[in-house]
Amino acid sequence: MKHNIELPEADFFQVYLRGHLVDHHFPQRNNKRFIETRSDDAYDTFVSARLEGKPVPIARELAMRTLLAGLYVSRYDIIYNVVEENLWLRLPPEYMPDFAVHLLGLQPVSEILDRYEVNGDFLDRETYQPMLTELLGTITEILDGYGL
């Protein structure tokens, strides 16, 4: 859906989405079809908004909402925030990203995230604080087991 109005390159949406998925360790980060489909949808949203006469900044914002729908917070983000905000005295900051990735693969952590049905929109739920408390306890036990 290309027209003779000012449009960003469609590739911008793919590059941005791929970077976002990788940076936040979303499972779709290697799903080429997902990235292409979501990027095409964002591009179509941008074009439609421009054709409706919306200014470029508003059209971009609408396109970005389409691009990132359901991808606002990842399991990694939640774990990293628990570690960074609560365990900063126990771990050097440079270890936190890798430790958060490590924790993602551990069964006790995954079970908590699964039980609370953590997905890209999880922050809107009332169960956020209880889940954080449970995660903090489990991660603290894991650290104690490592002698840290």
Side-chain angles (χ1 to χ4, degrees), residues 16-34:
Y16 187 93
L17 181 58
R18 188 172 287 113
H20 180 76
L21 295 173
V22 168
D23 290 348
H24 298 274
H25 299 271
F26 277 100
Q28 300 94 327
R29 67 184 173 271
N30 295 318
N31 186 333
K32 185 178 177 183
R33 183 181 198 108
F34 174 83

Side-chain angles (χ1 to χ4, degrees), residues 17-71:
L17 181 58
R18 188 172 287 113
H20 180 76
L21 295 173
V22 168
D23 290 348
H24 298 274
H25 299 271
F26 277 100
Q28 300 94 327
R29 67 184 173 271
N30 295 318
N31 186 333
K32 185 178 177 183
R33 183 181 198 108
F34 174 83
I35 293 169
E36 287 173 355
T37 301
R38 184 63 72 93
S39 300
D40 288 346
D41 291 347
Y43 186 76
D44 290 345
T45 298
F46 180 86
V47 171
S48 295
R50 289 297 290 141
L51 289 172
E52 292 169 7
K54 291 184 173 60
V56 171
I58 292 174
R60 283 187 185 143
E61 176 63 26
L62 294 171
M64 292 305 287
R65 288 180 186 185
T66 299
L67 189 69
L68 299 176
L71 300 171

Side-chain angles (χ1 to χ4, degrees), residues 26 70-75 77-78 81 118-123:
F26 277 100
L71 300 171
Y72 295 110
V73 62
S74 67
R75 289 173 169 233
D77 294 330
I78 289 171
N81 286 335
V118 173
N119 61 39
D121 292 324
F122 183 76
L123 291 177

Side-chain angles (χ1 to χ4, degrees), residues 38-144:
R38 184 63 72 93
S39 300
D40 288 346
D41 291 347
Y43 186 76
D44 290 345
T45 298
F46 180 86
V47 171
S48 295
R50 289 297 290 141
L51 289 172
E52 292 169 7
K54 291 184 173 60
V56 171
I58 292 174
R60 283 187 185 143
E61 176 63 26
L62 294 171
M64 292 305 287
R65 288 180 186 185
T66 299
L67 189 69
L68 299 176
L71 300 171
Y72 295 110
V73 62
S74 67
R75 289 173 169 233
Y76 169 83
D77 294 330
I78 289 171
I79 292 170
Y80 183 85
N81 286 335
V82 168
V83 171
E84 181 182 49
E85 292 176 11
N86 300 289
L87 303 169
W88 55 273
L89 289 174
R90 295 184 72 176
L91 285 173
E94 61 270 16
Y95 293 168
M96 290 181 188
D98 290 337
F99 188 63
V101 171
H102 170 70
L103 290 170
L104 273 174
L106 298 181
Q107 184 176 358
V109 173
S110 291
E111 287 174 357
I112 293 168
L113 297 172
D114 289 344
R115 190 169 349 102
Y116 285 94
E117 299 177 9
V118 173
N119 61 39
D121 292 324
F122 183 76
L123 291 177
D124 294 333
R125 299 192 188 157
E126 293 178 8
T127 56
Y128 182 68
Q129 192 57 49
M131 188 247 350
L132 288 181
T133 302
E134 191 173 343
L135 267 176
L136 178 59
T138 299
I139 293 170
T140 299
E141 289 176 9
I142 290 167
L143 279 172
D144 291 346

